[in-house]
Amino acid sequence: MWKLNVKTVVAIGIGAAIFIVLGIFGSIPTGIPNTNLDTSYGVLSMMAAVFGPIAGLLIGLIGHALKDTFMYGSVWWSWIICSAIEGFLIGLFVKKFGVEEGKFGLKQAVLFNVVQILANAVCWCGLAPLLDIVIYSEPANKVFTQGLVAGAANAVVMLVLGTALLVGYSATRQKASSLSKEE
């Protein structure tokens, strides 16, 4: 979970690249300024649930920072920090999700969604607005509205897309079996 091996580094690169592409081309405006229904969070949640907290943190950090750079020409650090923390928080439960072992069933899907909803609430309804106020002197009513909408949108994307990706990926993993090789 805490090791940065070749597989994890490759996952970070691929995850960050997908985050960027989906963030640019797979976002639907919500009607709230600078707040979208962003499919990249489904991939972030899936990658964090499979590869752990370090991968989740770095995919959120690198992917969001580069997406902002390409889309806007500058970065919005408060939201980048929250994407990184969100990936980290979801990744903390990698062992409980059992995706790599092919054990991602109903119980694990419920746990995944409880974790991601709590991570979204902490990051987008609390931390992001507070950082917007501290770092950028943004008005509280604006940033708490944006945070609430972003948190709800991300939770829905993770519920639908993240869960579907995890179910599909887990189905490709070999389940442990009671069969053993005879000598």
Side-chain angles (χ1 to χ4, degrees), residues 12-173:
I12 291 165
I14 292 169
I18 294 170
F19 190 102
I20 295 163
V21 171
L22 289 177
I24 294 171
F25 300 110
S27 294
I28 303 165
T30 62
I32 304 297
N34 301 315
T35 309
N36 300 316
L37 185 78
D38 194 339
T39 57
S40 59
Y41 286 94
V43 172
L44 172 62
S45 66
M46 180 264 198
M47 297 295 275
V50 172
F51 296 102
I54 301 301
L57 181 132
L58 291 173
I59 291 166
L61 180 75
I62 296 165
H64 197 141
L66 291 173
K67 178 199 75 151
D68 278 6
T69 301
F70 295 142
M71 281 186 71
Y72 308 114
S74 64
V75 295
W76 198 259
W77 284 111
S78 53
W79 285 40
I80 292 167
I81 290 166
C82 287
S83 290
I85 291 171
E86 184 169 46
F88 180 83
L89 292 174
I90 293 168
L92 286 174
F93 292 84
V94 67
K95 299 275 189 217
K96 298 272 187 201
F97 298 143
V99 179
E100 279 292 332
E101 295 81 27
K103 297 179 183 176
F104 193 79
L106 180 61
K107 179 181 168 186
Q108 291 79 12
V110 169
L111 175 63
F112 166 74
N113 282 294
V114 167
V115 168
Q116 66 88 356
I117 288 167
L118 291 173
N120 273 299
V122 166
C123 291
W124 302 109
C125 300
L127 187 58
L130 292 174
L131 289 173
D132 281 345
I133 292 166
V134 171
I135 297 171
Y136 300 109
S137 301
E138 291 286 323
N141 61 340
K142 172 189 165 192
V143 295
F144 278 101
T145 301
Q146 287 176 323
L148 183 61
V149 171
N154 290 350
V156 168
V157 167
M158 289 179 183
L159 177 92
V160 175
L161 183 58
T163 304
L165 289 170
L166 287 167
V167 167
Y169 181 79
S170 180
T172 69
R173 309 285 63 178

